[in-house]
Amino acid sequence: MASFSAAVAQFSRVSPSHTSLHSHSHGTLFQSQCRPFFLSRTSHSLRKGLTLPRGREAPSTSVRASFTDVSPNVSLEEKQLPKGETWSVHKFGGTCVGTSQRIKNVADIILKDDSERKLVVVSAMSKVTDMMYDLIHKAQSRDESYTAALNAVLEKHSATAHDILDGDNLATFLSKLHHDISNLKAMLRAIYIAGHATESFTDFVVGHGELWSAQMLSLVIRKNGTDCKWMDTRDVLIVNPTGSNQVDPDYLESEQRLEKWYSLNPCKVIIATGFIASTPQNIPTTLKRDGSDFSAAIMGALFKARQVTIWTDVDGVYSADPRKVSEAVILKTLSYQEAWEMSYFGANVLHPRTIIPVMRYGIPIMIRNIFNLSAPGTKICHPSVNDHEDSQNLQNFVKGFATIDNLALVNVEGTGMAGVPGTASAIFGAVKDVGANVIMISQASSEHSVCFAVPEKEVKAVAEALQSRFRQALDNGRLSQVAVIPNCSILAAVGQKMASTPGVSASLFNALAKANINVRAIAQGCSEYNITVVVKREDCIKALRAVHSRFYLSRTTIAMGIIGPGLIGSTLLEQLRDQASTLKEEFNIDLRVMGILGSKSMLLSDVGIDLARWRELREERGEVANMEKFVQHVHGNHFIPNTALVDCTADSVIAGYYYDWLRKGIHVVTPNKKANSGPLDQYLKLRALQRQSYTHYFYEATVGAGLPIVSTLRGLLETGDKILQIEGIFSGTLSYIFNNFKDGRAFSEVVSEAKEAGYTEPDPRDDLSGTDVARKVIILARESGLKLELSNIPVESPVPEPLRACASAQEFMQELPKFDQEFTKKQEDAENAGEVLRYVGVVDVTNKKGVVELRRYKKDHPFAQLSGSDNIIAFTTRRYKDQPLIVRGPGAGAQVTAGGIFSDILRLASYLGAPS
């Protein structure tokens, strides 16, 4: 047995000069298993017309037994290999040939391709490569179950062959399959005995899946009368291992071997094995990760093909990972550089090395979906083709986005680094010594610091190596620190048009800022094909969604939580429901209500609540109200970068949450007056936070329901006008009451009428107290720059003093007629003077005070012209001094108040990037 083990060891070091291997008692068996590795000399008469580089061994022809081998009767006259536009190359992955039906589908696609000549690269059937690796693992672990696992491989291919082949074709394939399985069983037994498999043994074993799928597919195509042969690419592709689990193709040698192969096997359709190749010493090897794609690209280059089509199970290359960005779209075209950049950063496109062979000759790569033949796919080609991109995508300067997770930043900084040659070399030399992979590097021009990203699993070794390498510099203070920032992710934006488009970086960072994403490091090459940023891992998907939305014209999506589905809240939900489709189609705005919170129950959804059925859904799936869970649910949806909470209550407790929400990056929209009219210090703190962040706080409906009162005031101030006075009828209820308190009507009668019409609160004293008007006055006063408390505003209440302590609204309404005479006298006095009574709030900016009171106005005054429940506000400013600026309209009612809130939501969407 010792001699057998020695033979195994010698086998892994075989050279081209070996033609046999003997090992005493096992010599015959082992020689049989090793034959595929050894190539017989090709006679010089067969090498007519080929010139080899000096010192290079003549390539050999395989002695593997297969049904495509050239028989002794075949003429040895060489057929010249035609190259160029007549060839198209197809590559089908394991999923594409995973079942017998799928192999038939692949055959149909090949037969329908009208190219004059076709080369088809196939992978092993789905899961077979893993099964083959498992055989090796079991054998070298001395697990007897490797024999059962090998039988499963045999059964899988035998069953498939019976489904798609018949007659002589089936018999031929099964004979070869059983022969291969017998050889593999003997080789696995050798590995079992040795307890070890060299890389050469492993590559030989795992490559069988491609051999079998190529043979079966070629026989299916040949059944249709097509001139088709299969190619064992180990006879043609020669590669040099380079370490780091990669290989470099030897194009010159491969081209010579391809010409020799074709001279012996001329045909119109070639089915070639993917993934496998040989070394210059004719030892079987593989092309490592994504090897079949690489095989197709190399073949495309060797044939100078018209096009290489990679068939997969997706419709093409997406602008972002569709599992993370639901609005990701299929890209029509990508340049080679764009595809290269995106694949480096983890996008499921192609391995970067796949692009190199075809890029050299300008051969386009098509990414197509074998399960959706109607999808046009993505074309990867020279950028000039991209100039004809759909004109409506003019803003699409960034083609795609990709992310890499589970990274850590390492920051080396210190004043001793500036201007010192070799510092960067020393840093990355130490990183290289521990075998870590540097994903991204960023250095300030001051040279004060260098930061770089490495996989998180490698950061500990990197940090220790740097601490050791720079121990003296750290002790002496020339370096201040070697800091590690864990839990990071990289977000990369890729696009060829970025290089010639000003403002791309600004747009990227603006989108991140608006989504409240903090950027920890930045890197960008001078070509501008790629802008890379490092963000917190928990922010990665949110950041990806935000920048994709900004650049890719996907809908401006806002995750919304509605708090208080009472009269105003439910009306808002109805308006959102009715307008949703229009907003999506015409304005690219997607408002998704992810939660509705009431005082007792709440309704949550991961994708957005069906607003046509929200009441019904709340009954079916509602849960106990929990503010913390509600906010976490709405804000924690990383598929949507923007979150807005809409507070439709008048609750001071809920208003107290605003500061924390804004600090977390949650936008707030509300008609609730409590926050802006509450304690001054809390108001100032809230506004300061809002101004220094990109989080928005909108409260137009707090003053005039749907009327543009706050926005008008802001417009005046922002354009440099000076506010002198704001005077207005701010209460729709009190407007209705005093507009109708005339013609001899009793005051109590008008109040009762207003209550029955729904203009007042259930207890009319809530309106008549004047507190609501005072809150609106204080809001406008603070907007105007006055630092007043609510207690600083004197309020004249129309509620008679004795009735303020009534136990109930019913008692109040019963007692109110007793005071009609007092109100009638005030009304008659005003009438006799040619005036009317109006209940107003006044902000006297000049004298820095405010007041709420019952005033008299001449009948030709704008305030006297009101009807119904209209509000009216007059702005007296330096510009509008002689003729005040008037805003008038309905100031109460669920429809107009909900409309005001809705308007603020759309303003938020506009700020976040929606078309205006």
Side-chain angles (χ1 to χ4, degrees), residues 73 98 122 188 208 326 437 491 541 625 651-652 706 783 801 805:
N73 298 324
V122 292
L188 289 167
H208 277 74
S326 57
N437 181 30
L491 167 64
I541 295 177
D651 193 325
S652 58
E783 287 288 317
E801 183 72 33

Side-chain angles (χ1 to χ4, degrees), residues 79-98:
K79 293 288 183 84
Q80 179 98 17
L81 172 64
K83 297 181 181 179
E85 293 286 315
T86 60
W87 287 96
S88 66
V89 175
H90 296 264
K91 179 265 174 177
F92 295 92
T95 305
C96 299
V97 292

Side-chain angles (χ1 to χ4, degrees), residues 47 61 65 139 161 191 231 321 332 359 408 525 605-606 699 713 718 763 784 871:
R47 300 198 49 75
T61 303
I191 293 172
M231 174 195 289
D321 187 338
K332 293 180 181 178
M359 184 177 174
S605 169
D606 290 327
Y699 45 87
L713 175 56
E718 289 169 0
D763 188 338
S784 301
N871 285 6

Side-chain angles (χ1 to χ4, degrees), residues 871-892:
N871 285 6
I872 186 168
I873 293 88
F875 294 93
T876 303
T877 72
R878 186 169 56 196
R879 294 176 189 159
Y880 297 94
K881 191 171 184 179
D882 298 329
Q883 189 72 29
L885 176 63
I886 301 290
V887 178
R888 172 182 171 174

Side-chain angles (χ1 to χ4, degrees), residues 563 597 602 625-632 654 657 661:
I563 302 171
L597 176 72
M602 64 181 180
N626 182 311
M627 178 63 77
E628 183 178 352
K629 182 178 179 181
F630 177 81
V631 174
Q632 174 59 36
I654 294 176
Y657 288 113
W661 293 345

